[in-house]
Amino acid sequence: MNKTLMLLTLLAAVTLSGCSTKKQAPLKVYWPPPPAESKMEWITTFSSSDNFPKTEGQIRAEKFFGKPEVDFFRKPTGVAVDADGLMYVADMDAGNIHVVDFKSKEMTLYSHDVPIGLPIDVRFDSHGLLYVVDGLGKQVLLFSPQRDLLGAFGAGDLKKPSFIALNEDLGRLYVSDVVGNVVVVYDLGSREKLFTFGGRGSGKGEMHGPQGIAIDKEGRVFVAEQFNARVQVFDADGKHLYMFGSRGDAPFQFEGPRGLAFDSQGNLFVAEVRKAALLIFQPDGTPLTAIGGGYTTHQLGFTSPSTVFIDRNDRVYISDGMNKRVTIWQMLTPAYLAENPLDAGALKRIEEKVLRIQKERKAQ
């Protein structure tokens, strides 16, 4: 078993099991586990409206009357969070977008009138406009904050659009085309194509299967290449700057990098679909940490992580299509820890139990 996945499984075994009674709240799950310095906290793994927290009254009512109709993800891909904290999940098999409100505990569909086709990725701009990649129409759909369709663009330019990223300072939208092996750049105002960069190949500036796109604070464009097993970095105009990554089964090598996102500290998160892992790097490619690694249905791991999105509070959302869910982690930033301090007692118990289980397994 992959060492990282093994640690996750052990960590889950000592923190998530046997802790669901009303008198004993579940222990917090931190990663990496002690004695290492923890950087992230697991928040939840969400797959349906049945995952919302329930009161004792709701639980009793469900036992007596049965559960209400459950809304669920079918094949979640893109994920984004709006300014109000609502989570929007593009669902390819549902042909729609799920809107999850954790405060009101409601899960609804985004569009009832406008067909979305094959929603792959979603992204909001600062004005609340929603951009949706439609793989079936080979275009990008644009919706108003009131969910009215404002238009579509890219048809005729795109062979198979996959992921999008916005640079609002320059007024640009970047779209990866996994079949065309290019990134197509549009003007946000006119929605006209400005230029493309890339082209089939494995050399500098060439691409094979471009997927996730992320733009850092300097305006550099990071592109994950699933079939070249690397991340390339370009300036805002598509000039190649550098690249990192290689194919292999070592912990921080790639087999199928897909979704990309930056946190507030400038660290790059990579959803590695074939390794079933979330890999975290410095912008120059220096490895930092990893979560998962090896297919699993366990709620702390992944089977096919596709998209990673990080909101303004450094909360990390990872879509997992085959497991039909979104896993949510929180970066342990100073601001978050000021309101949610680490549970020292829980950390000590986790360390003791993990070390004991590892010792027992070595002795077997």
Side-chain angles (χ1 to χ4, degrees):
M1 178 185 287
N2 176 281
K3 182 178 179 182
T4 302
L5 178 59
M6 181 188 73
L7 283 173
L8 277 169
T9 303
L10 294 176
L11 181 59
V14 299
T15 57
L16 297 178
S17 61
C19 298
S20 58
T21 66
K22 64 181 180 180
K23 293 183 179 180
Q24 185 179 24
L27 296 177
K28 292 185 176 181
V29 179
Y30 300 115
W31 185 259
E37 180 184 0
S38 296
K39 301 293 185 181
M40 304 176 72
E41 177 186 337
W42 177 77
I43 301 300
T44 189
T45 298
F46 192 91
S47 61
S48 75
S49 56
D50 194 43
N51 297 140
F52 288 123
K54 299 174 184 177
T55 65
E56 292 184 12
Q58 288 174 317
I59 295 173
R60 287 195 299 267
E62 287 183 359
K63 288 181 179 179
F64 187 77
F65 298 106
K67 290 186 177 182
E69 184 176 353
V70 174
D71 295 324
F72 58 92
F73 299 146
R74 292 168 176 80
K75 191 174 182 180
T77 51
V79 57
V81 175
D82 70 7
D84 296 321
L86 302 181
M87 181 174 73
Y88 292 70
V89 179
D91 191 323
M92 294 175 64
D93 285 359
N96 212 321
I97 298 167
H98 302 278
V99 183
V100 181
D101 187 336
F102 290 103
K103 292 181 180 179
S104 65
K105 301 178 183 178
E106 293 180 331
M107 181 174 173
T108 57
L109 290 177
Y110 180 81
S111 177
H112 296 282
D113 302 319
V114 179
I116 296 179
L118 191 70
I120 299 175
D121 196 20
V122 289
R123 195 68 71 233
F124 284 95
D125 68 13
S126 59
H127 303 290
L129 299 177
L130 178 64
Y131 296 79
V132 181
V133 172
D134 173 13
L136 183 63
K138 301 178 183 179
Q139 61 190 348
V140 177
L141 305 176
L142 177 61
F143 291 89
S144 74
Q146 295 73 37
R147 305 190 184 183
D148 296 319
L149 180 64
L150 299 179
F153 56 97
D157 302 328
L158 302 166
K159 294 181 179 179
K160 189 177 180 181
S162 186
F163 287 83
I164 52 179
L166 285 79
N167 184 331
E168 292 191 69
D169 291 337
L170 295 179
R172 293 177 180 178
L173 175 75
Y174 295 77
V175 185
S176 63
D177 188 332
V178 68
V179 171
N181 294 297
V182 295
V183 171
V184 185
V185 185
Y186 294 91
D187 182 271
L188 284 175
S190 67
R191 306 172 204 161
E192 296 293 328
K193 184 175 77 171
L194 297 175
F195 59 92
T196 66
F197 60 92
R200 175 70 178 269
S202 58
K204 292 181 179 180
E206 297 176 331
M207 302 178 187
H208 191 190
Q211 296 271 7
I213 305 178
I215 299 174
D216 70 3
K217 294 178 180 178
E218 299 176 22
R220 296 179 299 185
V221 183
F222 290 65
V223 181
E225 292 183 74
Q226 184 169 346
F227 302 125
N228 277 334
R230 65 187 183 186
V231 173
Q232 285 203 78
V233 186
F234 303 84
D235 70 11
D237 296 324
K239 178 184 177 182
H240 179 267
L241 298 176
Y242 63 93
M243 56 189 174
F244 64 87
S246 61
R247 187 179 304 279
D249 57 6
F252 288 94
Q253 286 185 300
F254 294 130
E255 291 181 6
R258 191 167 288 183
L260 300 180
F262 282 101
D263 67 10
S264 65
Q265 302 302 308
N267 299 316
L268 180 67
F269 289 61
V270 182
E272 227 297 346
V273 65
R274 293 193 64 188
K275 284 194 168 185
L278 180 68
L279 308 179
I280 306 173
F281 300 86
Q282 292 179 350
D284 63 0
T286 302
L288 293 176
T289 191
I291 296 176
Y295 306 139
T296 180
T297 59
H298 196 281
Q299 56 189 323
L300 294 185
F302 313 102
T303 295
S304 59
S306 175
T307 301
V308 54
F309 176 85
I310 304 177
D311 70 15
R312 65 183 65 184
N313 297 313
D314 278 318
R315 185 154 285 194
V316 184
Y317 303 76
I318 309 102
S319 67
D320 188 345
M322 291 188 68
N323 279 332
K324 302 180 180 181
R325 66 194 188 191
V326 173
T327 300
I328 304 174
W329 291 78
Q330 172 66 51
M331 299 299 296
L332 297 177
T333 62
Y336 180 78
L337 289 173
E339 300 291 333
N340 305 272
L342 293 174
D343 187 332
L347 286 169
K348 183 174 179 60
R349 289 190 294 272
I350 292 169
E351 180 178 11
E352 291 173 347
K353 291 182 180 180
V354 168
L355 291 175
R356 186 177 69 248
I357 293 173
Q358 289 177 321
K359 185 177 180 180
E360 291 172 353
R361 290 200 171 191
K362 286 182 180 180
Q364 292 178 352

